[in-house]
Amino acid sequence: MKKRIFRTVVLMLAFMMSLTMTVSATGTPSFTRWETNGEVITTASRDMYVATKSVNASAIGLDGRLTGLNDIQYYNGYVYLLCSEDSCIVVLNDQLEFERKITIAALETEETSPVEETETEDNSDEYFDPFLEDDDGSIDNTLMDAEGIFVTDDSIFIMDTGNERLLQIDMQGNILQQITVPDNDVIPEDFLFQPISMTKDFDGNYYVVSKDCYYGALLYNSAFEFQGFYGANTVQATALDTLAYLWDLMTNTDEKRSKQTRTLPYAFNDITISNDGYLFTCNGCKSMHDFTNGTGQIQQLSPGGVNVLLKRKNKGKSESATGYMFLEDHVETTWNDRLVQDFCSIAINQNGFIFALDRTYGLVYVYDIDCNLVTAFGGGASKGDRLGLFKSPTSMTLMGDKILVADAELCSVTEFDITPYGALLQQAQKLYLDGNYAEAGSLWEDVLKMDSASAFAYRGLARSCYATGRYKEAMRYAEKVYDYVTYDSAYQQVRKEFLEKNFAWIFAVAIVLVIALFYLFIRMKKRETSSIKNEKLRVLLHTSIHPFDSMKELKYKQKGSLVGAVVLLVLYTLTTIIRMTKTSFLFRTADAFNYNAFFTLASTAGLVLLFVVSNWLISTLLSGKGRFGEIFIATNYCLMPMIVINLLVTGLSYFLSYEDEALITGLMTVAVIFTLFLIIISNMTVHDYTFGQFILTTVITLFLMILIVFIIFMICVMLQQFWNFIYSLYMEVAYR
């Protein structure tokens, strides 16, 4: 009995320990983002990558630590770790086991002649380079804050950032050559050559990224002759920036120029090349004082150095990724410190997926070639207290389907392995981007079984259903992920099939309706008196047809109806809500995720009431003859076109495709203009104003409306602060 109890306790403890180990072995939850109707939603997602191991010096059998672990690269089955403080490179195999250590050996140079030595001494005040040669004439092999390595078949390039040089060594550690700042006219006089990253294209050209260099990457040919700068970023200027520049040209003085600051473009942090020969770069923040995340952090450079990376929108249009936010659109503040995200490393896998490492939070972002965020994982935010989290990530490299991340503070390398879900999603997404929708269909169904909330799976299934002729299913899947292009294409096919099957009776009904409308129009023209006996109702309905006569009857014969005005205001609000929420998916402006009826109420009934109150207050000071009730009734009578157009657009939206959006926009524009025209007539008639008086009164009315909104906002803020004070006072008393 005792043995059985003991076994039970041991098993329970083992089970609890296994649970603890499982929880502690993961980083922050993976997440993704997908675009809805003008909004970007961040949601949790199934893990595509999981941390499987982390190795440091002791784990691979070395003494001490991997100090200065600033870069990592995988090449031909081996992992190369740059340990800057130890001036060496540690080589691991693909199992992250120690292979060897490459120690940099000093390069002996030819002795200089006495004449040359004399010349050097005479010109020592003009030029002195402390790191080109040691006292014995050899090139110094000590690294200073080296930030990058690049491995080729027979040599290794070390970006010796602190020493402002680029070292090329062989596989035994012997220095082959040393490259310093190029002697070229295009190099600015104050240029600092501080290499941090480099890559090589298929033609043998080298691209070197220098720290905080705003001119682009330095381009060298295969013989390492400097060719110029390549792919510089530009500063995005607005119309206001242009006007400010012109104003400065006209008003600048020497004192003003001395106090001006320049807006500099973002500098490259890393550069790599894809399998199809395109160069990819990532940008970091400009400085420690740059409190914005910026946009366009990832670029795909053409042979001409132009960013050709495009962000495909849900509605089919593509825009340059220069204006796209790859990171989060906000800046976190922790203990009064602004934590600005900063990409420090970039990689491209064989399927064209883009991997970018954020050094601030230690997050690894994965994008497809359309700039859609597939997943993001990792994290730590300077804690790095468990596997999969980081303290100070510096570099990242891909090893097949695995991701290796180097952490300079932890002096370790973390391995992330792809999950079956991640491999399946990447395979399906690759087929989707290549246009093989039908072939990817079964894969997307498997992805959806693993993650029922995968936006990529729904989008892929929508395309697959469309490619195989299942148009209604395609519409259903496309609507879930706001894929307007696929939905519209499928809808056009559904509409085409419906018209082909039902054209006969649709044509007959249309003829009958046209004849009926024509008959009613003829009868109304022949009748001398209106069929509407209620005079107030007749004035209300005729306002849009005979605005001048109706407003005169409202003003001088008191034929306005307060109840009718209230009904019209309510109908205007309700039909606006209906138009925003119940139109066809293609034209729906409100999103179920973020729709708030309060804002619709404020922008319809609230705006009308604000205008009526403001107009009445101003008109009493400017000799206006309209009373508050007359202004309220007349203004609401003018809303009839908006009520009609809201219902008309809602109905038409179910018969139009996205190509007919111009018709919807045109109808709404005409209705708004006609409503404003009616308001002008009503205001001039009610107040007995000339057009000039109306313009003056309207301008002041609009100003008063803004002032009232501001006052209401300030009152709300003060009430909130007062409530917080009362609550704090209550809590203070309660705890005492």
Side-chain angles (χ1 to χ4, degrees):
M1 184 67 178
K2 292 182 179 180
K3 290 183 178 180
R4 185 177 300 174
I5 295 175
F6 177 75
R7 290 175 182 174
T8 304
V9 172
V10 170
L11 288 174
M12 290 178 64
L13 289 174
F15 178 70
M16 293 174 65
M17 290 177 64
S18 67
L19 287 178
T20 304
M21 292 174 61
T22 302
V23 173
S24 64
T26 59
T28 55
S30 300
F31 65 91
T32 186
R33 290 193 300 265
W34 51 287
E35 185 180 351
T36 63
N37 187 11
E39 296 286 335
V40 177
I41 295 178
T42 301
T43 60
S45 66
R46 190 182 181 95
D47 290 334
M48 290 183 60
Y49 290 87
V50 293
T52 54
K53 68 171 72 171
S54 179
V55 298
N56 52 22
S58 60
I60 60 177
L62 294 179
D63 296 330
R65 307 180 72 199
L66 300 174
T67 54
L69 181 56
N70 290 336
D71 200 11
I72 181 173
Q73 186 178 3
Y74 173 77
Y75 187 79
N76 276 355
Y78 294 98
V79 180
Y80 296 82
L81 308 179
L82 171 63
C83 300
S84 174
E85 293 185 18
D86 294 334
S87 297
C88 70
I89 296 173
V90 176
V91 184
L92 311 177
N93 60 21
D94 57 5
Q95 301 299 316
L96 299 187
E97 298 168 342
F98 179 74
E99 285 288 325
R100 61 193 177 99
K101 179 188 287 188
I102 302 176
T103 303
I104 303 170
L107 175 64
E108 299 290 339
T109 58
E110 296 181 2
E111 295 184 0
T112 55
S113 64
V115 177
E116 292 174 336
E117 291 176 358
T118 304
E119 290 177 354
T120 303
E121 291 176 2
D122 293 341
N123 298 317
S124 60
D125 293 336
E126 299 179 7
Y127 177 77
F128 175 69
D129 194 333
F131 58 81
L132 277 178
E133 294 182 358
D134 288 340
D135 294 336
D136 59 356
S138 62
I139 294 180
D140 187 9
N141 63 342
T142 304
L143 304 179
M144 181 185 296
D145 298 327
E147 295 191 19
I149 57 173
F150 180 72
V151 184
T152 62
D153 290 334
D154 53 3
S155 62
I156 302 174
F157 292 89
I158 302 176
M159 273 54 74
D160 194 6
T161 311
N163 284 329
E164 301 179 20
R165 63 178 178 173
L166 177 65
L167 287 180
Q168 182 182 9
I169 64 174
D170 60 19
M171 291 301 176
Q172 286 71 44
N174 301 309
I175 297 178
L176 301 178
Q177 66 171 327
Q178 174 179 246
I179 298 96
T180 58
V181 59
D183 183 12
N184 193 287
D185 293 338
V186 303
I187 300 294
E189 294 182 0
D190 59 348
F191 181 77
L192 288 178
F193 182 66
Q194 297 179 312
I196 57 176
S197 178
M198 71 176 292
T199 192
K200 181 181 180 182
D201 66 17
F202 299 147
D203 295 325
N205 299 310
Y206 296 91
Y207 301 83
V208 179
V209 174
S210 182
K211 191 174 186 178
D212 295 332
C213 174
Y214 307 109
Y215 309 104
L218 287 83
L219 173 61
Y220 296 85
N221 61 16
S222 57
F224 250 100
E225 298 170 339
F226 180 68
Q227 304 297 302
F229 290 104
Y230 175 85
N233 287 325
T234 58
V235 177
Q236 300 297 317
T238 63
L240 291 177
D241 295 330
T242 304
L243 292 175
Y245 174 74
L246 295 175
W247 175 257
D248 289 339
L249 286 180
M250 295 184 291
T251 61
N252 253 355
T253 62
D254 292 338
E255 184 178 355
K256 286 180 65 177
R257 290 191 188 95
S258 64
K259 297 180 180 180
Q260 284 180 345
T261 58
R262 289 195 307 164
T263 302
L264 297 173
Y266 289 91
F268 295 154
N269 271 355
D270 194 16
I271 189 169
T272 189
I273 191 168
S274 62
N275 289 340
D276 53 2
Y278 281 100
L279 291 172
F280 283 80
T281 65
C282 66
N283 303 331
C285 59
K286 297 175 186 175
S287 67
M288 293 179 62
H289 304 289
D290 177 25
F291 295 147
T292 59
N293 279 337
T295 57
Q297 294 89 349
I298 296 175
Q299 298 188 50
Q300 177 185 5
L301 301 180
S302 69
V306 179
N307 183 20
V308 294
L309 188 61
L310 298 176
K311 166 59 181 174
R312 184 178 296 175
K313 309 294 287 185
N314 282 358
K315 296 189 177 181
K317 298 179 181 178
S318 295
E319 61 181 18
S320 174
T322 304
Y324 176 67
M325 167 60 72
F326 284 86
L327 294 164
E328 312 310 313
D329 58 357
H330 62 277
V331 177
E332 293 289 347
T333 303
T334 304
W335 301 105
N336 295 325
D337 290 331
R338 293 178 181 265
L339 303 179
V340 183
Q341 289 188 276
D342 184 12
F343 278 150
C344 62
S345 185
I346 188 171
I348 314 294
N349 72 359
Q350 66 275 10
N351 293 324
F353 288 85
I354 305 169
F355 298 75
L357 174 65
D358 162 44
R359 78 173 93 215
T360 303
Y361 293 100
L363 289 171
V364 179
Y365 290 82
V366 184
Y367 300 91
D368 64 21
I369 200 61
D370 280 338
C371 303
N372 299 308
L373 179 63
V374 182
T375 188
F377 57 92
S382 302
K383 294 181 180 179
D385 52 0
R386 63 180 186 266
L387 181 62
L389 302 183
F390 310 102
K391 277 193 173 181
S392 180
T394 55
S395 183
M396 168 188 63
T397 189
L398 301 181
M399 185 173 67
D401 288 331
K402 299 180 179 181
I403 303 173
L404 304 179
V405 179
D407 192 309
E409 189 168 342
L410 294 176
C411 300
S412 64
V413 175
T414 302
E415 177 187 88
F416 291 87
D417 202 354
I418 194 168
T419 64
Y421 167 78
L424 187 63
L425 189 144
Q426 285 201 27
Q427 183 183 0
Q429 183 70 353
K430 180 64 167 57
L431 291 173
Y432 168 81
L433 293 175
D434 290 342
N436 299 325
Y437 306 125
E439 186 179 348
S442 59
L443 297 181
W444 284 125
E445 290 177 353
D446 294 337
V447 170
L448 205 57
K449 291 176 183 177
M450 296 183 179
D451 185 3
S452 60
S454 173
F456 292 95
Y458 282 116
R459 187 182 295 114
L461 277 174
R463 282 286 183 180
S464 177
C465 290
Y466 177 78
T468 54
R470 295 176 291 166
Y471 302 120
K472 290 185 178 180
E473 291 183 58
M475 292 171 59
R476 178 163 55 87
Y477 288 129
E479 186 173 357
K480 288 180 178 293
V481 288
Y482 297 86
D483 185 356
Y484 292 92
V485 176
T486 306
Y487 185 96
D488 184 50
S489 300
Y491 172 72
Q492 290 187 42
Q493 295 298 326
V494 171
R495 185 179 61 176
K496 179 182 177 182
E497 292 178 356
F498 177 79
L499 291 176
E500 289 176 350
K501 293 179 180 178
N502 304 279
F503 177 77
W505 70 264
I506 292 175
F507 181 76
V509 171
I511 293 296
V512 171
L513 288 176
V514 170
I515 294 174
L517 290 174
F518 183 75
Y519 174 75
L520 290 175
F521 177 76
I522 296 298
R523 283 185 59 88
M524 290 178 62
K525 293 293 290 182
K526 288 182 177 181
R527 296 179 66 93
E528 296 181 357
T529 60
S530 174
S531 59
I532 303 175
K533 302 302 181 182
N534 189 308
E535 292 185 351
K536 290 187 176 182
L537 180 59
R538 178 174 53 79
V539 171
L540 185 153
L541 296 176
H542 285 190
T543 298
S544 300
I545 304 173
H546 306 289
F548 291 97
D549 295 337
S550 298
M551 289 303 163
K552 287 179 181 179
E553 291 188 9
L554 186 153
K555 172 66 178 176
Y556 300 111
K557 297 183 181 181
Q558 303 301 315
K559 293 184 179 181
S561 172
L562 181 61
V563 175
V566 172
V567 170
L568 287 177
L569 185 59
V570 172
L571 288 176
Y572 172 52
T573 303
L574 292 178
T575 55
T576 302
I577 294 175
I578 291 172
R579 175 178 58 81
M580 296 180 66
T581 59
K582 298 302 180 182
T583 51
S584 169
F585 167 72
L586 293 174
F587 304 101
R588 195 175 303 154
T589 57
D591 190 355
F593 288 98
N594 54 26
Y595 178 69
N596 191 334
F598 173 78
F599 292 106
T600 304
L601 181 64
S603 61
T604 52
L607 188 62
V608 171
L609 292 174
L610 181 62
F611 172 78
V612 171
V613 172
S614 302
N615 187 261
W616 174 68
L617 292 173
I618 296 301
S619 63
T620 55
L621 299 177
L622 298 179
S623 304
K625 296 181 173 57
R627 293 175 296 180
F628 182 84
E630 293 173 344
I631 301 171
F632 178 78
I633 294 172
T635 303
N636 285 302
Y637 277 17
C638 299
L639 298 176
M640 183 64 74
M642 295 303 301
I643 297 172
V644 173
I645 203 64
N646 283 337
L647 296 175
L648 180 62
V649 165
T650 303
L652 280 177
S653 66
Y654 289 93
F655 300 95
L656 301 177
S657 67
Y658 197 71
E659 296 176 353
D660 305 316
E661 184 184 18
L663 176 60
I664 299 290
T665 304
L667 290 173
M668 291 297 302
T669 303
V670 170
V672 171
I673 294 174
F674 187 45
T675 300
L676 293 176
F677 172 71
L678 294 178
I679 291 176
I680 293 173
I681 295 174
S682 67
N683 206 266
M684 291 176 61
T685 304
V686 168
H687 293 303
D688 197 16
Y689 277 158
T690 63
F691 185 72
Q693 290 174 314
F694 164 76
I695 293 296
L696 176 63
T697 307
T698 302
V699 171
I700 302 176
T701 298
L702 294 176
F703 176 77
L704 181 60
M705 291 171 65
I706 297 173
L707 183 61
I708 292 174
V709 171
F710 177 75
I711 293 173
I712 293 174
F713 175 76
M714 292 300 297
I715 292 174
C716 292
V717 172
M718 292 177 64
L719 289 175
Q720 183 181 13
Q721 291 179 347
F722 179 72
W723 166 252
N724 291 337
F725 169 74
I726 296 297
Y727 180 75
S728 300
L729 187 62
Y730 167 77
M731 295 299 294
E732 186 72 21
V733 173
Y735 280 107
R736 289 179 184 275

